[in-house]
Structures are given as C-alpha cells and as structure tokens.
Amino acid sequence: MDWLGNALFIVVFVGVIVGVLINFQRHLAHPGGRKGTGAAAGLLSVESRFAPSSYEARIDLERQGQLQAPAPVPGDPMDGLHMAVNDDGIPYRVVISPNNP
C-alpha cells in the first residue's frame, strides 16, 4: 500500500505542475500578458552586484523602450526623405535616410 501513496503523490504533483504551466500560458496569451511576469526579479539584484554594466544597460534599454518617439512638427524640414522621379515627373521610389547632424 505504500507504493500507492507514493504513486498518488507523484500524479498529483505532476498534475499541479501541468496546471500551473497551462494557466501561465493562458496568462501570456492575453494582451499585455508579458508585462509584469518578472519571475526572476530577485536575480536582478544579483546581476547588479556581479555585472553592473550589464544591469545598467538593461535598465537603460527598458527606459528607452518606454519613451515615445518625438512626433514631427509641421514646419520641420524633411532632410532624410528623398524621392526619385521618372521622366514624366511621377515619383517611383522614396528613400528614407538618417539625418546628418
């Protein structure tokens, strides 16, 4: 009878793990589900001590990802936009290049 208790414990344990994984996957499927899933948030403090440059780069990358791109103002010149026109004066290609400061 002792083996029956062990087998039942293993089946229940595996069932709980599978249930948690299924719920986690369903959570990720919802819009915004990937935000706030910092299961390894405690490791960031370890990373900040042993690899400070990597930690600072990660924080800076997160900050840049949250910033909004500046919107163009109607009076701004379009320095990086070049249009190629054919002989009839119809544009057939638009090239966007980075602005040279």
Side-chain angles (χ1 to χ4, degrees):
M1 252 352 233
D2 196 25
W3 64 271
L4 183 62
N6 289 338
L8 186 62
F9 175 74
I10 290 172
V11 168
V12 168
F13 182 74
V14 170
V16 168
I17 294 296
V18 168
V20 166
L21 289 175
I22 288 172
N23 284 333
F24 183 69
Q25 288 295 326
R26 287 183 182 168
H27 166 71
L28 292 179
H30 294 313
R34 295 200 181 268
K35 284 189 175 182
T37 57
L43 294 178
L44 288 179
S45 64
V46 173
E47 183 183 16
S48 68
R49 294 187 187 274
F50 291 108
S53 61
S54 172
Y55 174 73
E56 291 170 4
R58 181 187 314 263
I59 296 298
D60 190 35
L61 188 62
E62 288 177 4
R63 265 193 221 120
Q64 289 177 5
Q66 294 172 355
L67 293 176
Q68 294 182 356
V73 179
D76 286 346
M78 295 191 302
D79 292 334
L81 186 65
H82 305 286
M83 294 193 311
V85 293
N86 60 9
D87 296 334
D88 297 330
I90 299 172
Y92 66 93
R93 183 175 62 185
V94 177
V95 178
I96 301 173
S97 61
N99 294 339
N100 293 331

